[in-house]
């Protein structure tokens, strides 16, 4: 609160509290890396505190930062008391709910910030993990996020400001020629152990699509126990970009609050997005404008797939408006980052 009530602050250093990730991380760590690069461009000194019980995680993260061209000092936090010896930073940022607890203990900083990448309580069934994830939102940290849904939810429920920054995504190198479109190749994001991505629904949908349509299905995320479908498992950014650009449709289900960045990445490459309706309003996914947003049932998904499979004019409309959506979000990307930085430093109040 002292940070928020004060005048403009000079941000000289930032300390990220992270869980370990490698050179080809998921969308969440990619946004941490994107923010880190932006802070570096502002002349900010960077530190990373790696929360882990494995000392080897230090080298993994150091190699990752070097791979992505990020000059930073890294520290391993193997025990709670290790945070007490971390260097002073102007602001310190928790990046996942488990990292909010060591940040709560850390006091050698001027402001504590929470990079909220989703309502992480939705990752768990009712129980102790859900309880302790939700408890972190009561710590009084300043929020930052790349999703308007998260900003509105955090500010309205926990009464702390949450500053928006535009997401960092895998951008396409080329876009589809709209004079020749069809649905022949389908990309699927499948996480076997992530209920929020509805793996059980996706599995029966894929079986029905493969039975009724002559399309090539490629799965990324996890490998399936059976070999019914072509499953690549975890793939890096360059391979993912190639898959986006060579896919005609993308099946992506997400039941937590964050809309996800994968639909944006698919839209940018001209792949038709089919996703689920949920009880939370999407900030950028609009049914039959830039995506097919359907009830999460087998019949509804297949009906939507069949409709777009047969309707070339609908395919073109969804692709064209998907391009518009991505271009609008990423228009003036640097200016939006500058606004975020000024809000965070209290230059803009």
């Amino acid at each position: 609160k002292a940070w928020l009530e004060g005048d403009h602050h000079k941000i000289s250093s930032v300390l990220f509290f992270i869980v370990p990730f490698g050179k080809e991380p998921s969308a969440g760590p990619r946004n941490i890396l994107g923010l880190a690069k932006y802070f570096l461009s502002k002349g900010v000194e960077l530190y990373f505190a790696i929360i882990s019980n494995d000392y080897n995680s230090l080298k993994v993260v150091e190699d990752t930062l070097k791979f992505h061209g990020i000059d930073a000092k890294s520290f391993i936090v193997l025990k709670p008391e290790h945070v007490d010896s971390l260097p002073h930073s102007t602001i310190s940022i928790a990046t996942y709910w488990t990292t909010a607890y060591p940040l709560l203990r850390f006091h050698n900083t001027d402001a504590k910030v929470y990079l909220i990448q989703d309502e992480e309580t939705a990752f768990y069934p009712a129980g102790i993990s859900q309880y302790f994830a939700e408890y972190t939102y009561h710590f009084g940290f300043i929020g930052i996020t790349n999703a308007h849904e998260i900003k509105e939810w955090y500010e309205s429920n926990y009464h702390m400001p949450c500053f928006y920054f535009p997401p960092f995504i895998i951008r396409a190198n080329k876009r589809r020629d709209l004079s020749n479109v069809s649905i022949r190749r389908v990309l699927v994001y499948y996480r076997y152990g992530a209920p929020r991505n509805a793996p059980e629904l996706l599995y029966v949908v894929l079986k029905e699509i493969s039975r009724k349509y002559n399309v090539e299905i490629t799965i990324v995320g996890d490998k399936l126990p059976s070999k019914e479908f072509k499953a690549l498992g975890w793939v890096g950014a360059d391979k993912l970009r190639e898959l986006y650009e060579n896919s005609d449709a993308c099946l992506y289900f997400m039941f937590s609050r964050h809309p996800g960045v994968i639909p944006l990445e698919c839209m940018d490459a001209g792949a038709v997005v089919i996703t689920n309706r949920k009880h939370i309003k999407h900030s950028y996914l609009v049914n039959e404008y830039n995506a097919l947003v359907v009830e999460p049932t087998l019949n509804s998904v297949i009906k939507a797939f069949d409709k777009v499979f047969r309707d070339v004019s609908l395919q073109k409309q969804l692709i064209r408006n998907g391009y518009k959506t991505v271009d609008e979000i990423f228009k003036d990307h640097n200016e939006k980052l500058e606004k975020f930085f000024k809000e965070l430093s209290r230059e803009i109040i």
Side-chain angles (χ1 to χ4, degrees), residues 128-177:
I128 193 166
S129 294
Q130 186 188 87
Y131 174 86
F132 281 110
E134 197 278 334
Y135 198 60
T136 63
Y137 305 134
H138 298 273
F139 289 172
F141 296 164
I142 300 164
I144 60 174
T145 185
N146 63 10
H148 292 290
E149 295 93 332
I150 301 297
K151 172 181 170 62
E152 294 168 5
W153 160 77
Y154 188 67
E155 289 184 339
S156 63
N157 285 278
Y158 300 99
H159 313 295
M160 288 296 291
C162 189
F163 304 123
Y164 170 82
F165 64 91
F168 298 88
I169 71 169
I170 299 170
R171 296 302 305 265
N173 289 329
K174 60 181 180 180
R175 284 181 165 176
R176 190 174 309 281
D177 179 5

Side-chain angles (χ1 to χ4, degrees), residues 315-333:
Q315 293 174 35
K316 291 181 179 180
Q317 174 185 311
L318 295 173
I319 294 168
R320 189 180 299 113
N321 291 331
Y323 291 157
K324 290 179 182 177
T325 300
V326 175
D327 291 343
E328 179 62 29
I329 289 174
F330 290 94
K331 180 178 67 177
D332 304 325
H333 193 265

